[in-house]
Structure formats: C-alpha cells, structure tokens
Amino acid sequence: MFYYNYTNNKENSMYIYLPIAEQPIHSLAILGVGTFLGLIMGLVGVGGGFLLTPILMFLGIPPPVAVASVANQLVAPSVSGVLSHWKRSNVDFKMGTVLLVGGVIGSSIGVILFNFLGKIGQLDFVIKSSYVIFLSLIGTLMLYESLRLILRKRKGKVSRGKLHQHNWLHGLPFKTRFRKSKLYISILLPILIGVIVGILAAIMGVGGGFIIVPAMIYLLGMPTSLVVGTSLFQIIFVAANTTILQASQNQTVDIVLATILLLGSVVGVQIGAKFTNIIKGEYLRLILSAIIILVSLKLLADLITVPSDYFSIIIHR
Amino acid sequence: MKHFRYYLFVIIFSISLSIEGKTENQIVADLSQENVKISTNFLGAKILLFGAYDGKPGDDIIVIVTGRKGLVTVQKKEKKFGMWVNTKKINYINTPKYLSISSNRPLKEILDENTQKSSQIGLNFLNIRTQPGSKILNNENWREALTRNMIISKLWSVNENSVILNKNALFRSYLNLPSNVTVGKFEVKILHYRSGKLISTEKSTINVSKSGFSAQIYNIAQNYSTLYGIFAVLLAVLIGWGTNLIFRKV
C-alpha cells in the first residue's frame, strides 16, 4: 500500500528519497529528530520510541512505515545501552531472558494483529488512539511524579517508600529464583508482562520501556539499579523480532529512514548521558512530560476534530 | 542544453516542411526524457513534450498522460464515540494512478460534453468501475471524493492552457510527474482536434522506474523480505555496538 502526504514543497538537494515510505524527506530534519530523541533517552533514561513514532507521523511518514522503522532504529540505542549497563553489572540476564520470551511471543502476536488491522483499514486509527491513551497516561503520571518530587525537595525531605509489596501476583505457580534481582517469584508474571509489552511494541513501534520499567519496579519488585539495563536487554530482542516480522509480513521497514534516525539517536544518547549530572532529573522529567502531553493532545485533536474531508484514499501498489 | 533535441527538431522540421511540403493529418512528437529514474534524490520530474502537427487556425491539441491502472480505495470517516473513524470504503478498480490532461484552451471550449464523455476526456468521465460486490450503490459522492483526493495528492491534474501552439504547426507542453508517482509505463496520447472532431493522434511512452540504491533496497525488501529484516537488525546492532566502542574511549 502507498499513502501520500500533502507536503510537497521541496526544491532542495538535502532531501532524500525513502525507498519504502516512497517519498522524499529532508535528511537534516530526520537526523535532528533522531538526535533530539537520543538526547531525551540519554538524559531521562526512557526510550524515545513513544515520541518518535508520532513525530514521524506528523512529518508525513505513513504510520505503518513509521512504526516498523522505529522498531528497527530502537535496536541500536538498546544495544549501546545494554553494553554500558553490563559493564556496570546492572543487567539481570535471567530475568531479561524470561521477559524476552514473553516479548517475542507478544511482538509476534502484535505483528499479526497489525497485519489484520491494516487489511480492515483501521490501522491508523488503532495506532493513533493507542498513542493518545498511553501518552496521556504516561505524561500525566510523569508530570505528577516530577512535580511531587520538586515540591518535596523544596520542603527539604525525601522519603523512600517500601521496595515492593507482596500481593496475589506472588502466589502464582512456577516459582523461580532470580538471584541477581534477589527475587523468588512466579515465572508467569514476567512472561505475561513481556507478552503485553511485545504486543504494544509491535503495534506502536515502541520499545515498551515506559511500561516495562514501572512494571518491573512495582509489579516484580526488582531493584531499581537493575531495571533499566534489564529492560534494554529485552527491548533489543523485542525490537529485533518486530523488525524482522514487520519486514517479512508487511514490507514496512524503511532501512534508510531507520539508519538516519539511529545515527542521530546514538550520538544524542551519548551527549545526553554526559549532561545528566548537570541538569536536574525532575526538571527534565517535567519538561518531557509536558512534551508528551502536548503530543498526545495533538493526536487526540486529529481524532476528534471534524475532518476537512470525510473521504480519504489509499493507493494500492 | 536540456532542450537541445527540441530546437534541433524544430529546425529539421521546418526544413523538411519547406522541401517536401506537408503530409496530410499527421502529428510527430518527442519527449525531452523518455525514462524517469526514481533514485535517492528524486523530487519529481518535469518533462518537455514537443512536436509538430498539420494544423489550421483554431485547431486544438490535447495531451493525455496515463500511468499504470489499478486498485484505489476510497474510505469514509464517520463519528463513532466522539472520534472520527474510517467506517465505509469503496474499491475502485481500473483507476489510473497518474493522469494528466493538458490542452491549449479549456476542454469545454474544445469538446462538447458528449464527446468528452464518450472519449473519456476529463477527470469525471473516466471509465472507472467499483469492485464487484460493492454495497454502496449511490456512489456519486465517492467518485467525486476520488477525483478530489487524487488532485490533492498531485497524481491527477487538468492543465488547461498549458499546451503552447506555435504557427499552427508546432506544439509543446511540460508534463509534471510528482515525487509520489508509482512506477510503470506511462502512456502519452496526443490528440489533434479540428472544430471538435478528432483528426489525428500520436502515442508515446514514458518509463518510470526505480533505479540505483533506492531501487535495490525496494527490491530486496519486496523479494527477500526476511533477509532484509535480519540485515536491518544486524546493521542497527553493529551501529549501536560501534558507538559504544567509540564513546567509551572519549
């Protein structure tokens, strides 16, 4: 399938023709977007996937191509991130492997679902509405957390909550010991989390860090120091599986787009990481949450405002 | 030098006219570019069509360029739970994915509506059918939506007054292919009308194909899709690992 975009003003040699998206795009714009997202990843520690896909859609990249290519680009910063966390021994490989088993199952389901939604013509709607839901949720939570932290610091007290609470989730069968994380829990729980994150990763073109990180902390009760490295470890495989399946099932992976994006993002991550000690984390999160909320509002507006034309076309290949 | 062939043609044609006299009712035409390559820097193409016709004052030239035909879906959005969702669709088969109609003056002045209909000249007179089994019967709005959206996407166009006639013997016109054209053979038809009657035609083709790097990537992605996916992942892994090595030393 081939979607067209309305922006057609280009008289410039900086444009590069994307072979799969089948349209030219300004190469510096894409490089800039990649670097910006990399900076956020490096500064805040969460993946930029959930911002990258909507930005690409705003730039006129067809949503299916945006989702699949972002999955591809996510592999690079995740590999880079795992390597640096591994060096500091911050990766629980056993937990990561259990999570990725679920993730691979989930992302496979996700790609099949993606294919099905494309056939019935609801793919764009599902991608956009899931973004509205998740971005507004995450944006609001982040805003709340960072504001709370800022206010507390002003008052001059920082209290720490309990590491994790035991609930019915810890009573599930197939209990396994995860030495590194100092946990003795049912293997079903991380697999289930992996499956859910995998499905979302495939449909939304995200690594799922924004879901898996809180899930690991609050549901599994993993030590915070291990969470980022371990989630990145599983994201590599989920993103890789999604990329290969999207490429073979839907032919929507644009390697040129992905490569330009990831070149920008890997550099951005490193720059961002160098600045983390200079800028205060909670203020960063405050800014990021504002960006996320804005993006979700823009997407929501696209869905609820009366369209200028009720009709649209899809030109099949 | 781009239009060298055009000038050469004009000179040779005028010489041949003066030597041999006119042959009856003929059009000869040539294109500044017969092969359009979509490579990594493709931003669309502008092609000069030029030629000579055996004309009298008041004659008209219409140029129709048609791309590959195929399936185009028109979808309609409706409000569901406060959001605008695609709910209905019609598949149009046999739809040209590129169409440009150029003429020396407005089509209405050249042809009456019946002739326009019978010879399918005009964006609303095309022989486009809905896929058999379509449930939507009153589809006039849908057909209009197809035309409207194809025009917005720059794939369909009517360019009245864009064919330039010269001394009732020469004509030229620029054909614009946008950057989102689909590949294939484009049929160029040149029609010569005298007081609303077709007196001669000429045909030519433009080949639009992907070439170079972007063509290779496209072909690999289509034909070796799994391998392509694996390669895309490996490339990303390598770059991720590479940057880690580079920045560790910095």
Side-chain angles (χ1 to χ4, degrees), chain B:
Chain B
M1 285 310 282
K2 197 181 163 192
H3 302 145
F4 175 72
R5 282 213 283 174
Y6 169 65
Y7 296 114
L8 190 71
F9 179 88
V10 171
I11 294 163
I12 293 173
F13 185 78
S14 8
I15 294 170
S16 68
L17 270 187
S18 57
I19 295 172
E20 291 172 23
K22 289 181 181 181
T23 38
E24 277 304 302
N25 293 343
Q26 271 197 350
I27 308 179
V28 275
D30 202 357
L31 296 155
S32 64
Q33 199 185 348
E34 278 158 6
N35 291 302
V36 175
K37 303 275 184 211
I38 300 184
S39 56
T40 24
N41 55 5
F42 183 71
L43 296 171
K46 196 174 186 185
I47 300 170
L48 175 67
L49 168 77
F50 55 90
Y53 67 109
D54 179 18
K56 284 182 180 166
D59 284 6
D60 298 295
I61 296 282
I62 299 175
V63 178
I64 301 173
V65 184
T66 318
R68 203 155 51 91
K69 291 178 178 174
L71 181 66
V72 175
T73 304
V74 177
Q75 326 180 86
K76 190 184 180 186
K77 282 197 173 79
E78 280 176 334
K79 204 168 187 175
K80 286 268 163 84
F81 310 110
M83 285 179 289
W84 291 89
V85 194
N86 288 320
T87 49
K88 290 174 186 154
K89 64 172 183 178
I90 290 188
N91 285 330
Y92 286 97
I93 51 176
N94 198 29
T95 312
K97 292 174 183 181
Y98 175 84
L99 179 69
S100 87
I101 302 173
S102 313
S103 55
N104 58 310
R105 59 185 173 127
L107 289 171
K108 272 184 193 164
E109 294 174 19
I110 302 174
L111 305 168
D112 58 60
E113 202 173 302
N114 286 334
T115 324
Q116 267 188 285
K117 265 183 197 164
S118 61
S119 45
Q120 296 184 43
I121 297 174
L123 300 182
N124 292 319
F125 304 123
L126 304 170
N127 180 24
I128 295 172
R129 293 186 304 274
T130 53
Q131 201 165 43
S134 175
K135 283 169 196 149
I136 302 157
L137 294 171
N138 186 14
N139 56 20
E140 227 163 74
N141 288 339
W142 294 73
R143 183 59 185 77
E144 277 168 22
L146 175 68
T147 304
R148 185 169 63 240
N149 279 289
M150 290 303 273
I151 292 172
I152 292 170
S153 63
K154 297 190 177 173
L155 292 169
W156 284 10
S157 60
V158 172
N159 317 290
E160 293 171 330
N161 309 320
S162 74
V163 177
I164 315 255
L165 303 180
N166 194 355
K167 292 181 178 132
N168 301 316
L170 300 171
F171 67 89
R172 67 189 147 94
S173 175
Y174 279 103
L175 311 173
N176 285 302
L177 301 183
S179 60
N180 52 353
V181 282
T182 2
V183 293
K185 263 202 167 71
F186 285 57
E187 187 189 59
V188 183
K189 244 188 342 190
I190 303 135
L191 308 166
H192 177 192
Y193 283 92
R194 181 167 296 157
S195 18
K197 294 237 153 42
L198 181 67
I199 57 168
S200 59
T201 54
E202 165 75 345
K203 277 178 186 170
S204 184
T205 49
I206 302 171
N207 257 315
V208 180
S209 57
K210 298 200 177 196
S211 90
F213 182 61
S214 86
Q216 281 168 6
I217 288 181
Y218 181 82
N219 289 334
I220 294 168
Q222 291 294 321
N223 302 327
Y224 308 96
S225 48
T226 309
L227 269 172
Y228 171 85
I230 295 170
F231 177 74
V233 168
L234 287 180
L235 185 68
V237 169
L238 265 175
I239 295 176
W241 183 45
T243 44
N244 199 271
L245 287 180
I246 295 165
F247 280 92
R248 199 170 54 185
K249 280 168 190 162
V250 175

Side-chain angles (χ1 to χ4, degrees), chain A residues 77 84 92 106-107 123 135 143 163 179 191 239 262 315:
Chain A
S84 23
D92 182 344
S107 53
L123 187 57
L135 289 184
L143 186 72
L163 193 62
R179 280 182 206 288
I191 287 184
L262 69 85
I315 301 159

Side-chain angles (χ1 to χ4, degrees), chain A residues 97-152:
Chain A
T97 310
V98 173
L99 282 167
L100 84 83
V101 168
V104 168
I105 297 168
S107 53
S108 304
I109 298 171
V111 173
I112 294 166
L113 203 63
F114 188 92
N115 206 338
F116 169 74
L117 289 169
K119 274 187 186 142
I120 61 165
Q122 297 301 344
L123 187 57
D124 291 21
F125 173 73
V126 172
I127 293 176
K128 282 184 180 160
S129 52
S130 11
Y131 266 106
V132 170
I133 295 165
F134 280 98
L135 289 184
S136 52
L137 216 68
I138 294 151
T140 319
L141 282 175
M142 264 176 104
L143 186 72
Y144 173 73
E145 280 287 331
S146 50
L147 281 177
R148 204 181 57 154
L149 213 67
I150 290 168
L151 289 175
R152 274 196 183 176

Side-chain angles (χ1 to χ4, degrees), chain A residues 13-181:
Chain A
S13 61
M14 286 314 296
Y15 283 90
I16 184 157
Y17 187 84
L18 302 174
I20 308 298
E22 296 197 304
Q23 59 181 268
I25 195 144
H26 202 286
S27 51
L28 285 184
I30 290 294
L31 200 64
V33 167
T35 314
F36 171 69
L37 266 298
L39 262 173
I40 289 180
M41 279 176 91
L43 282 168
V44 189
V46 290
F50 61 92
L51 267 179
L52 187 47
T53 310
I55 291 175
L56 290 182
M57 294 194 289
F58 294 156
L59 285 176
I61 305 283
V65 178
V67 166
S69 310
V70 168
N72 183 8
Q73 87 90 27
L74 273 174
V75 174
S78 309
V79 167
S80 181
V82 165
L83 289 173
S84 23
H85 282 283
W86 190 10
K87 212 171 59 187
R88 280 173 262 151
S89 186
N90 282 344
V91 185
D92 182 344
F93 284 103
K94 187 173 178 187
M95 180 63 88
T97 310
V98 173
L99 282 167
L100 84 83
V101 168
V104 168
I105 297 168
S107 53
S108 304
I109 298 171
V111 173
I112 294 166
L113 203 63
F114 188 92
N115 206 338
F116 169 74
L117 289 169
K119 274 187 186 142
I120 61 165
Q122 297 301 344
L123 187 57
D124 291 21
F125 173 73
V126 172
I127 293 176
K128 282 184 180 160
S129 52
S130 11
Y131 266 106
V132 170
I133 295 165
F134 280 98
L135 289 184
S136 52
L137 216 68
I138 294 151
T140 319
L141 282 175
M142 264 176 104
L143 186 72
Y144 173 73
E145 280 287 331
S146 50
L147 281 177
R148 204 181 57 154
L149 213 67
I150 290 168
L151 289 175
R152 274 196 183 176
K153 278 200 175 170
R154 288 225 171 125
K155 281 180 188 165
K157 53 176 181 183
V158 181
S159 65
R160 299 210 82 209
K162 240 187 199 175
L163 193 62
H164 68 277
Q165 284 172 335
H166 279 263
N167 51 31
W168 64 272
L169 291 169
H170 295 81
L172 291 168
F174 306 110
K175 282 204 164 197
T176 315
R177 198 168 293 284
F178 295 92
R179 280 182 206 288
K180 183 111 193 173
S181 301

Side-chain angles (χ1 to χ4, degrees), chain A residues 172-215:
Chain A
L172 291 168
F174 306 110
K175 282 204 164 197
T176 315
R177 198 168 293 284
F178 295 92
R179 280 182 206 288
K180 183 111 193 173
S181 301
K182 299 190 182 74
L183 283 174
Y184 182 60
I185 53 164
S186 164
I187 200 169
L188 293 178
L189 195 56
I191 287 184
L192 186 70
I193 292 172
V195 170
I196 293 168
V197 172
I199 294 175
L200 288 172
I203 292 180
M204 298 170 69
V206 292
F210 63 91
I211 298 163
I212 206 163
V213 167

